[in-house]
Amino acid sequence: MDAKLAAAAVGVNAMGNSGTTNRLLLGILAGSSFASQLIGDASLSKRPMKRVSQPLAKFGAEIALSPAGTLPATVIGQKLHGAEIQLEVASAQVKSAAIFAALEAGSPSTIIEKLPTRNHTEIMLRQFGADITTEADNLTIHVQPGQELLGQEVEVPGDMSSAAFWLTAGRLRKSWLLMS
Protein backbone atom coordinates (compact mmCIF):
# COMPACT_ATOMS: atom_id res chain seq x y z
CA MET A 1 0.00 0.00 0.00
CA ASP A 2 1.30 3.44 -0.80
CA ALA A 3 2.70 4.90 2.43
CA LYS A 4 0.95 8.27 2.04
CA LEU A 5 -2.42 6.65 1.34
CA ALA A 6 -2.04 4.25 4.27
CA ALA A 7 -1.00 7.01 6.65
CA ALA A 8 -3.98 9.12 5.61
CA ALA A 9 -6.39 6.19 5.88
CA VAL A 10 -5.37 5.10 9.36
CA GLY A 11 -4.89 8.52 10.86
CA VAL A 12 -8.65 8.91 11.20
CA ASN A 13 -11.39 6.95 12.95
CA ALA A 14 -11.11 4.23 10.32
CA MET A 15 -11.59 1.39 12.82
CA GLY A 16 -15.14 2.22 13.88
CA ASN A 17 -16.12 -0.77 16.03
CA SER A 18 -14.11 -3.38 14.11
CA GLY A 19 -11.80 -5.23 16.47
CA THR A 20 -10.65 -7.49 13.65
CA THR A 21 -9.61 -4.55 11.46
CA ASN A 22 -7.75 -2.97 14.37
CA ARG A 23 -5.89 -6.11 15.47
CA LEU A 24 -4.85 -7.09 11.94
CA LEU A 25 -3.68 -3.58 11.10
CA LEU A 26 -1.49 -3.53 14.21
CA GLY A 27 0.43 -6.49 12.76
CA ILE A 28 0.49 -5.10 9.23
CA LEU A 29 1.58 -1.59 10.22
CA ALA A 30 4.26 -2.72 12.69
CA GLY A 31 6.68 -3.42 9.82
CA SER A 32 5.77 -0.37 7.74
CA SER A 33 8.02 2.61 7.08
CA PHE A 34 5.73 5.23 8.63
CA ALA A 35 3.84 6.01 11.84
CA SER A 36 0.09 5.50 12.19
CA GLN A 37 -2.53 6.10 14.80
CA LEU A 38 -5.48 3.71 15.10
CA ILE A 39 -8.61 5.21 16.60
CA GLY A 40 -11.90 3.42 17.20
CA ASP A 41 -15.36 4.28 18.40
CA ALA A 42 -16.22 4.41 22.13
CA SER A 43 -16.88 0.66 22.33
CA LEU A 44 -13.70 -0.42 20.52
CA SER A 45 -11.68 2.04 22.60
CA LYS A 46 -12.54 0.04 25.74
CA ARG A 47 -11.24 -3.29 24.46
CA PRO A 48 -7.85 -4.59 25.62
CA MET A 49 -5.08 -4.29 23.04
CA LYS A 50 -2.03 -5.43 25.03
CA ARG A 51 -2.87 -9.00 24.02
CA VAL A 52 -1.85 -7.91 20.51
CA SER A 53 0.85 -5.31 21.19
CA GLN A 54 2.87 -7.51 23.58
CA PRO A 55 3.44 -10.40 21.12
CA LEU A 56 4.21 -7.89 18.35
CA ALA A 57 6.83 -6.25 20.59
CA LYS A 58 8.78 -9.53 20.45
CA PHE A 59 9.32 -8.84 16.73
CA GLY A 60 10.60 -5.35 17.62
CA ALA A 61 7.29 -3.58 17.00
CA GLU A 62 6.78 -0.24 18.71
CA ILE A 63 3.14 0.26 19.66
CA ALA A 64 2.00 2.80 22.24
CA LEU A 65 -1.45 2.33 23.78
CA SER A 66 -3.47 4.43 26.20
CA PRO A 67 -2.56 4.06 29.91
CA ALA A 68 -5.43 1.55 30.16
CA GLY A 69 -3.91 -0.59 27.38
CA THR A 70 -6.61 0.35 24.88
CA LEU A 71 -6.99 2.54 21.80
CA PRO A 72 -5.85 4.90 20.56
CA ALA A 73 -2.76 3.01 19.40
CA THR A 74 0.24 4.70 17.87
CA VAL A 75 2.30 2.36 15.69
CA ILE A 76 5.83 3.47 14.83
CA GLY A 77 6.52 1.37 11.75
CA GLN A 78 10.05 -0.01 11.56
CA LYS A 79 12.20 -2.97 10.53
CA LEU A 80 11.16 -6.07 12.46
CA HIS A 81 13.22 -9.13 13.37
CA GLY A 82 12.23 -12.78 13.49
CA ALA A 83 11.14 -14.25 16.80
CA GLU A 84 9.76 -17.33 18.45
CA ILE A 85 6.68 -16.32 20.37
CA GLN A 86 4.15 -18.19 22.47
CA LEU A 87 0.73 -16.60 22.37
CA GLU A 88 -0.84 -16.23 25.79
CA VAL A 89 -4.41 -16.06 24.49
CA ALA A 90 -6.13 -18.37 22.04
CA SER A 91 -7.14 -15.84 19.40
CA ALA A 92 -7.13 -16.14 15.62
CA GLN A 93 -6.93 -12.34 15.41
CA VAL A 94 -3.83 -12.11 17.61
CA LYS A 95 -2.24 -15.01 15.72
CA SER A 96 -3.00 -13.32 12.40
CA ALA A 97 -1.48 -10.03 13.58
CA ALA A 98 1.67 -11.95 14.57
CA ILE A 99 1.79 -13.69 11.18
CA PHE A 100 1.51 -10.35 9.35
CA ALA A 101 4.37 -8.95 11.46
CA ALA A 102 6.44 -12.12 10.89
CA LEU A 103 6.05 -11.70 7.12
CA GLU A 104 7.81 -8.31 7.43
CA ALA A 105 10.58 -9.59 9.74
CA GLY A 106 14.20 -9.87 8.67
CA SER A 107 14.45 -13.57 9.56
CA PRO A 108 12.15 -16.59 10.08
CA SER A 109 9.66 -16.70 12.94
CA THR A 110 7.77 -19.34 14.89
CA ILE A 111 4.39 -18.66 16.46
CA ILE A 112 3.07 -21.13 19.02
CA GLU A 113 -0.58 -21.09 20.05
CA LYS A 114 -2.09 -22.27 23.35
CA LEU A 115 -4.98 -23.89 21.49
CA PRO A 116 -5.62 -24.23 17.77
CA THR A 117 -7.63 -21.32 16.34
CA ARG A 118 -9.16 -20.65 12.91
CA ASN A 119 -6.54 -20.94 10.20
CA HIS A 120 -8.10 -18.72 7.51
CA THR A 121 -5.17 -16.30 7.48
CA GLU A 122 -2.59 -19.02 6.94
CA ILE A 123 -4.61 -20.64 4.14
CA MET A 124 -5.17 -17.35 2.31
CA LEU A 125 -1.60 -16.12 2.68
CA ARG A 126 -0.27 -19.45 1.36
CA GLN A 127 -2.57 -19.02 -1.65
CA PHE A 128 -0.99 -15.57 -2.22
CA GLY A 129 2.52 -17.05 -2.10
CA ALA A 130 3.57 -16.78 1.55
CA ASP A 131 5.85 -19.49 2.95
CA ILE A 132 3.87 -20.49 6.05
CA THR A 133 3.88 -24.02 7.45
CA THR A 134 1.91 -25.49 10.32
CA GLU A 135 3.22 -28.47 12.27
CA ALA A 136 1.07 -31.56 12.83
CA ASP A 137 0.18 -30.32 16.35
CA ASN A 138 -1.80 -27.45 14.70
CA LEU A 139 -0.25 -25.16 17.32
CA THR A 140 3.15 -24.31 15.82
CA ILE A 141 3.35 -22.05 12.77
CA HIS A 142 6.58 -21.24 10.92
CA VAL A 143 6.77 -18.07 8.82
CA GLN A 144 9.53 -17.43 6.29
CA PRO A 145 9.60 -13.73 5.37
CA GLY A 146 10.58 -12.28 2.02
CA GLN A 147 8.17 -13.86 -0.45
CA GLU A 148 6.36 -11.53 -2.80
CA LEU A 149 2.65 -11.93 -2.25
CA LEU A 150 0.66 -12.01 -5.46
CA GLY A 151 -2.85 -10.58 -5.41
CA GLN A 152 -5.65 -12.60 -6.91
CA GLU A 153 -9.39 -12.72 -7.10
CA VAL A 154 -10.94 -14.19 -3.96
CA GLU A 155 -14.59 -15.00 -3.47
CA VAL A 156 -15.68 -14.67 0.14
CA PRO A 157 -18.96 -16.44 0.91
CA GLY A 158 -21.68 -14.56 2.75
CA ASP A 159 -21.87 -14.91 6.51
CA MET A 160 -25.32 -16.02 7.65
CA SER A 161 -24.56 -14.91 11.21
CA SER A 162 -24.74 -11.31 10.00
CA ALA A 163 -28.25 -11.88 8.65
CA ALA A 164 -29.56 -14.07 11.49
CA PHE A 165 -30.96 -11.16 13.53
CA TRP A 166 -32.93 -9.78 10.58
CA LEU A 167 -34.19 -13.19 9.51
CA THR A 168 -35.40 -13.91 13.05
CA ALA A 169 -37.03 -10.50 13.41
CA GLY A 170 -38.74 -10.93 10.04
CA ARG A 171 -40.03 -14.35 11.01
CA LEU A 172 -41.52 -12.96 14.22
CA ARG A 173 -43.34 -10.11 12.48
CA LYS A 174 -46.06 -11.35 10.15
CA SER A 175 -46.33 -7.94 8.49
CA TRP A 176 -42.67 -8.02 7.30
CA LEU A 177 -42.00 -9.38 3.86
CA LEU A 178 -38.84 -11.45 3.53
CA MET A 179 -37.20 -11.56 0.13
CA SER A 180 -34.76 -14.26 -0.87
Side-chain angles (χ1 to χ4, degrees), residues 1-122:
M1 181 182 288
D2 177 75
K4 291 179 184 175
L5 175 62
V10 251
V12 297
N13 185 2
M15 303 306 107
N17 191 26
S18 179
T20 302
T21 301
N22 180 72
R23 290 181 181 101
L24 296 183
L25 276 175
L26 286 172
I28 291 167
L29 294 170
S32 70
S33 61
F34 51 89
S36 305
Q37 186 173 47
L38 304 182
I39 303 166
D41 69 6
S43 175
L44 183 59
S45 295
K46 293 178 185 171
R47 295 188 204 164
M49 293 298 154
K50 283 185 182 178
R51 63 181 59 181
V52 185
S53 66
Q54 288 174 338
L56 295 178
K58 294 177 182 175
F59 294 106
E62 188 177 336
I63 301 170
L65 301 171
S66 76
T70 60
L71 295 181
T74 301
V75 182
I76 308 299
Q78 58 194 335
K79 289 275 189 195
L80 302 178
H81 55 77
E84 179 172 311
I85 63 170
Q86 283 211 244
L87 299 178
E88 296 182 18
V89 295
S91 166
Q93 294 175 352
V94 173
K95 173 181 69 174
S96 295
I99 289 170
F100 282 123
L103 287 171
E104 293 298 318
S107 57
S109 297
T110 300
I111 300 161
I112 304 166
E113 296 187 90
K114 285 180 81 144
L115 297 168
T117 61
R118 293 182 310 267
N119 62 352
H120 303 134
T121 301
E122 297 96 291

